[in-house]
Amino acid sequence: MKSDAVKKGMQTAPQRSLFNALGLTEEELEKPLVGIVSSYNEIVPGHMNIDKIVEAVKMGVAMAGGTPIVFPAIAVCDGIAMGHVGMKYSLVTRDLIADSTECMATAHQFDALVMVPNCDKNVPGLLMAAARLNVPTIFVSGGPMLAGHVKGEKTSLSSMFEAVGAHAAGKITAEEVDDYVCNACPTCGSCSGMYTANSMNCLTEAIGMGLRGNGTVPAVYSQRLKIAKHAGMKVMELLEKNIRPRDILTKEAFENALTIDMALGCSTNTMLHLPAIAHEAGVEINLDIANQISAKTPNLCHLAPAGHHYMEELNEAGGIYAVMNELNKKGLLHTDLVTATGKTVGENIAGCENRNKEIIRPIEEPYSETGGIAVLRGNIAPDSCVVKRSAVVPEMMVHEGPARVFDCEEDAIEAIKGGRIVAGDVVVIRYEGPKGGPGMREMLNPTSAIAGMGLGSSVALITDGRFSGASRGASIGHVSPEAAVGGPIALIEEGDIISINIPENTIDVKLSEEELSSRKEKWAPKEPKVKTGYLARYASMVTSADRGAVLEIK
């Protein structure tokens, strides 16, 4: 066992004295040491119940003959961090989580790991760590929040943000906003739509690193504790069989994940996280693969913000395995791949029926014949940008309009709420990319303001930043190269005509190459917004969004 390095032989007597100080018995030290990475804290609603999940995992590990030992991982609540300097510290925690987990797991020589994340950056951060460490590992999330209820209708966090925009437009009263405040987010758990946290938890299940129900069973259901106990037991089986993350996280598994991503209509943030996880697993995936898979994958689900269905309904309809079984009717999945269940993909999904054809469309009757995410290219984004196609209204799939240019999110929000953005405009928010932000802030506030003010079917927004999974509309992010490195988005001027064609996967500013070259010659980089601390170090190492914003030593 790997842990023998700290508990066997005379040379480890000092280490054993420290295990003694922990109260561990000789019997416990004879068993495999299983690290349980707990993302519990008291500031993130998706993490406030993780202490109970962790206790259930510990029980499962002990029942199966292991010694469970808990250590922590940090987490940022994107909703609380939204719209201020705190959002610069969201994406960057993905690498802190991966790095700190690598440090803890290697320094203490754990034989196996159970990862217990839930919200946006914890899931990809811990998947990156799992691929990097490559010891037997399984995931169990904290689970999604139940949908809220306002005025007799189900609702979620995206409705809450849009209510602020509706109030700014004079459409609802402050009292009505308070109704959303008190009822939009009614329980613990990751926010109830197909936002980034739930997208990544569902894809963890789909890619083979979590048990059935990991992505969809609500946080408040007792079934969540049963999944956690089974995950604790299952990791001991993975250890016995020596099934490791890189055995699971193959090129074909990432193709499966992208296929299910397209069918579910996941957050565009998956286009940052899947390449970053693949990078750690030694697998090369690029965004061209995403378009190739999208072209042949039907979109089967419209969960909030794309529609009025929520995670609890997807769970009741059969969950991720039911979606996978629909896709497999057309042979769209690799089914012979090993997973953390100890079985193959095909064995996992066999007999998993679709119990609600309104929530999970039959593959013969999809919402669209192509997937929920599109990757666009053009002279604004020669290296690509992404849009959640399934959340764009039909009339905005093709759009042309004048650029309204802002060099930071705050200026754009002021203009939107001040009524200075009108139907037909294309809002451009730049210098908010991985390096320029730094930290690539989510733009839920401006997209929600646009939607709340009734402009969602007539105004587009493009940015080198990114969007919350709760954003909807023609919200095009991850523009690469970003403005901070002189990407073409830095050269756009107020009033330039921008042409967007999502079905054709194109985005262009209607300028000649000569004009763009002339503007590039006059362009000069801006002073870094942050010059000290972690963000400055991050900005010096981060790559562009089309590469997953991974860190590289220059």
Side-chain angles (χ1 to χ4, degrees):
M1 288 188 291
K2 188 173 183 179
S3 61
D4 288 351
V6 292
K7 63 185 187 183
K8 294 290 185 182
M10 182 56 66
Q11 74 277 6
T12 69
Q15 284 92 337
R16 291 201 304 276
S17 74
L18 294 168
F19 285 128
N20 181 70
L22 289 169
L24 291 175
T25 65
E26 291 181 9
E27 291 84 355
E28 286 173 301
L29 292 178
E30 285 298 318
K31 298 174 182 179
L33 300 185
V34 179
I36 302 173
V37 187
S38 170
S39 302
Y40 169 76
N41 64 46
E42 294 183 343
I43 188 63
V44 184
H47 292 235
M48 62 184 283
N49 64 317
I50 280 178
D51 55 341
K52 296 175 178 62
I53 305 291
V54 166
E55 287 303 312
V57 172
K58 288 173 68 176
M59 186 175 292
V61 169
M63 288 167 64
T67 298
I69 301 174
V70 179
F71 65 89
I74 63 168
V76 164
C77 177
D78 279 21
I80 295 174
M82 195 69 65
H84 58 89
V85 68
M87 182 43 71
K88 293 179 185 288
Y89 286 86
S90 171
L91 177 61
V92 303
T93 63
R94 187 185 71 182
D95 295 274
L96 281 175
I97 291 160
D99 293 349
S100 59
T101 302
E102 175 194 357
C103 292
M104 289 292 288
T106 306
H108 302 105
Q109 292 291 287
F110 289 106
D111 297 300
L113 295 166
V114 182
M115 308 293 198
V116 192
N118 206 24
C119 289
D120 296 40
K121 307 311 159 308
N122 289 74
V123 185
L126 290 179
L127 281 165
M128 289 165 68
R132 193 184 297 176
L133 290 159
N134 204 35
V135 300
T137 302
I138 196 166
F139 277 66
V140 54
S141 79
M145 185 183 290
L146 294 179
H149 289 82
V150 176
K151 296 180 179 177
E153 294 186 358
K154 286 187 175 181
T155 189
S156 61
L157 184 67
S158 52
S159 303
M160 179 71 258
F161 275 89
E162 289 178 18
V164 176
H167 178 261
K171 294 186 174 184
I172 63 174
T173 66
E175 290 74 18
E176 288 174 299
V177 173
D178 284 341
D179 194 12
Y180 280 95
V181 169
C182 295
N183 295 294
C185 298
T187 73
C188 63
S190 47
C191 295
S192 57
M194 189 55 78
Y195 310 144
T196 305
N198 291 328
S199 295
M200 290 308 303
N201 282 320
C202 289
L203 294 186
T204 298
E205 188 178 335
I207 209 168
M209 289 296 292
L211 300 181
R212 183 179 183 180
N214 178 67
T216 60
V217 171
V220 295
Y221 284 12
S222 296
Q223 187 185 351
R224 176 63 53 186
L225 299 178
K226 294 170 71 174
I227 294 171
K229 290 173 188 174
H230 283 133
M233 295 182 230
K234 186 61 69 173
V235 80
M236 299 304 296
E237 179 186 327
L238 297 176
L239 178 59
E240 181 183 354
K241 294 179 177 178
N242 196 30
I243 298 173
R244 299 168 181 255
R246 291 194 188 186
D247 300 323
I248 297 168
L249 297 172
T250 62
K251 180 175 183 290
E252 291 76 16
F254 282 100
E255 290 174 358
N256 278 356
L258 283 165
T259 300
I260 297 149
D261 188 333
M262 298 302 168
L264 290 172
C266 289
S267 163
T268 52
N269 282 313
T270 62
M271 295 296 104
L272 281 175
H273 299 322
L274 287 174
I277 298 159
H279 176 76
E280 295 290 351
V283 174
E284 184 66 36
I285 64 170
N286 59 48
L287 297 186
D288 290 323
I289 296 172
N291 265 356
Q292 291 164 17
I293 289 174
S294 180
K296 62 182 181 181
T297 305
N299 177 227
L300 305 181
C301 299
H302 267 193
L303 279 76
H308 298 290
H309 302 148
Y310 296 87
M311 294 303 296
E312 63 209 63
E313 295 167 282
L314 178 59
N315 185 62
E316 291 160 10
I320 301 309
Y321 280 13
V323 175
M324 294 172 73
N325 209 23
E326 282 291 338
L327 293 169
N328 199 41
K329 290 176 181 177
K330 287 194 174 180
L332 295 175
L333 297 177
H334 303 282
T335 56
D336 59 346
L337 309 179
V338 68
T339 71
T341 67
K343 299 177 181 178
T344 65
V345 170
E347 290 170 328
N348 286 342
I349 66 175
C352 295
E353 63 178 286
N354 178 357
R355 297 196 290 264
N356 188 328
K357 294 180 181 179
E358 288 298 312
I359 308 301
I360 304 171
R361 288 278 184 93
I363 198 160
E364 302 83 7
E365 303 172 33
Y367 282 102
S368 68
E369 294 292 342
T370 52
I373 290 177
V375 177
L376 315 182
R377 280 189 167 83
N379 64 3
I380 292 175
D383 291 342
S384 76
C385 56
V386 298
V387 61
K388 188 170 183 173
R389 173 166 44 195
S390 60
V392 180
V393 295
E395 54 266 40
M396 288 299 290
M397 297 295 277
V398 178
H399 181 75
E400 192 171 285
R404 305 298 307 279
V405 183
F406 305 94
D407 286 352
C408 67
E409 178 188 5
E410 289 83 356
D411 290 350
I413 292 170
E414 183 183 350
I416 295 165
K417 291 187 176 177
R420 302 201 303 276
I421 303 301
V422 299
D425 284 348
V426 178
V427 177
V428 178
I429 305 178
R430 60 193 182 189
Y431 294 99
E432 291 284 10
K435 190 179 293 291
M440 202 179 183
R441 288 195 286 180
E442 289 185 342
M443 303 289 169
L444 180 55
N445 273 2
T447 60
S448 297
I450 287 169
M453 297 182 76
L455 296 170
S457 60
S458 59
V459 169
L461 193 156
I462 68 172
T463 180
D464 52 8
R466 60 196 179 93
F467 295 106
S468 164
S471 290
R472 62 186 176 99
S475 304
I476 300 166
H478 308 194
V479 170
S480 302
E482 62 175 293
V485 297
I489 191 172
L491 311 178
I492 297 171
E493 296 178 0
E494 188 82 8
D496 287 346
I497 301 301
I498 292 176
S499 175
I500 299 163
N501 191 318
I502 295 172
E504 296 293 329
N505 302 108
T506 61
I507 181 167
D508 292 285
V509 58
K510 301 187 85 172
L511 296 171
S512 66
E513 286 301 312
E514 292 76 15
E515 175 62 21
L516 284 170
S517 296
S518 173
R519 292 185 187 184
K520 183 63 184 284
E521 288 175 8
K522 300 170 187 172
W523 178 83
K526 289 182 177 287
E527 275 287 304
K529 295 177 184 176
V530 179
K531 298 180 181 179
T532 60
Y534 178 61
L535 285 181
R537 294 199 303 277
Y538 180 88
S540 72
M541 299 173 68
V542 71
T543 60
S544 67
D546 67 295
R547 296 181 56 197
V550 298
L551 301 186
E552 284 186 348
I553 299 170
K554 298 295 189 289

